[in-house]
Amino acid sequence: GGKLEEDDRQREEMGLTQSQGNMQFVYWWTVLIFIGLAVFGWMTLYKGQDRMGLIIALAMFCQFALLNLITTVGAISTDNRDFEESTYGWYGQFSVLLAYTDFWMMLQTFGFAAVLGITRHMDKKKAASQDEEEIQMGYQGATDDASASAGGAVV
């Protein structure tokens, strides 16, 4: 029984477990989506388009990364042997890399969505106050022109 258990641990350390391929697929798919989101964000900001679509995409990816993180944590196997005779301990598992990556991607997308949302709100507020000033100035200008023309006609 001990030899079989030792063989399983060696296979796991060498990355030959069955779940390793699944974790690699999920990892690379997540990285690909993140790169696509970064390109979409860069194009949106470069063209000066409305940021609401980008904010929604960032929020959706943040939720995706959070759910991926929660499910990945269950895939990390410890079996009460965290740092036994392995150079990497449980850090050698691909699911740990996926969990760390999901955590940082979640934080980054949430941070960018929050910053873009705040700047969008501030821009809208600034535009609304400028529109209000223009309306007031246009109204005052119309009354000044009318009184000037009326005053000019009386003289």
Side-chain angles (χ1 to χ4, degrees), residues 53-105:
L54 178 58
I55 293 168
I56 291 171
L58 286 168
M60 288 175 61
F61 186 82
C62 182
Q63 290 178 354
F64 166 75
L66 175 65
L67 292 174
N68 206 8
L69 175 66
I70 291 169
T71 56
T72 301
V73 169
I76 298 172
S77 61
T78 57
D79 297 328
N80 294 325
R81 51 189 174 90
D82 293 338
F83 295 107
E84 69 174 26
E85 297 182 31
S86 171
T87 307
Y88 303 109
W90 54 268
Y91 288 106
Q93 299 179 39
F94 213 82
S95 54
V96 175
L97 175 65
L98 181 60
Y100 282 141
T101 304
D102 284 331
F103 177 72
W104 287 110
M105 285 182 179

Side-chain angles (χ1 to χ4, degrees), residues 2-150:
K3 180 72 174 159
L4 182 60
E5 193 173 297
E6 186 179 321
D7 289 344
D8 288 342
R9 287 182 188 169
Q10 284 178 350
R11 272 192 229 111
E12 185 177 295
E13 287 176 5
M14 292 172 28
L16 300 175
T17 59
Q18 183 179 4
S19 66
Q20 199 75 0
N22 299 339
M23 286 296 148
Q24 287 180 357
F25 174 77
V26 171
Y27 176 78
W28 289 113
W29 186 253
T30 303
V31 169
L32 182 68
I33 292 173
F34 185 75
I35 291 170
L37 183 61
V39 169
F40 172 69
W42 181 82
M43 289 174 43
T44 300
L45 295 176
Y46 181 76
K47 291 179 182 177
Q49 297 173 340
D50 186 32
R51 294 176 288 237
M52 190 51 140
L54 178 58
I55 293 168
I56 291 171
L58 286 168
M60 288 175 61
F61 186 82
C62 182
Q63 290 178 354
F64 166 75
L66 175 65
L67 292 174
N68 206 8
L69 175 66
I70 291 169
T71 56
T72 301
V73 169
I76 298 172
S77 61
T78 57
D79 297 328
N80 294 325
R81 51 189 174 90
D82 293 338
F83 295 107
E84 69 174 26
E85 297 182 31
S86 171
T87 307
Y88 303 109
W90 54 268
Y91 288 106
Q93 299 179 39
F94 213 82
S95 54
V96 175
L97 175 65
L98 181 60
Y100 282 141
T101 304
D102 284 331
F103 177 72
W104 287 110
M105 285 182 179
M106 180 189 67
L107 286 181
Q108 187 174 5
T109 55
F110 178 76
F112 274 110
V115 167
L116 289 173
I118 290 168
T119 56
R120 184 176 186 269
H121 176 71
M122 291 171 57
D123 289 346
K124 291 249 185 213
K125 195 174 186 180
K126 184 178 177 181
S129 67
Q130 285 178 349
D131 289 345
E132 186 177 304
E133 287 177 13
E134 288 176 5
I135 290 171
Q136 288 176 355
M137 293 173 93
Y139 178 71
Q140 290 172 352
T143 56
D144 291 342
D145 290 341
S147 63
S149 63

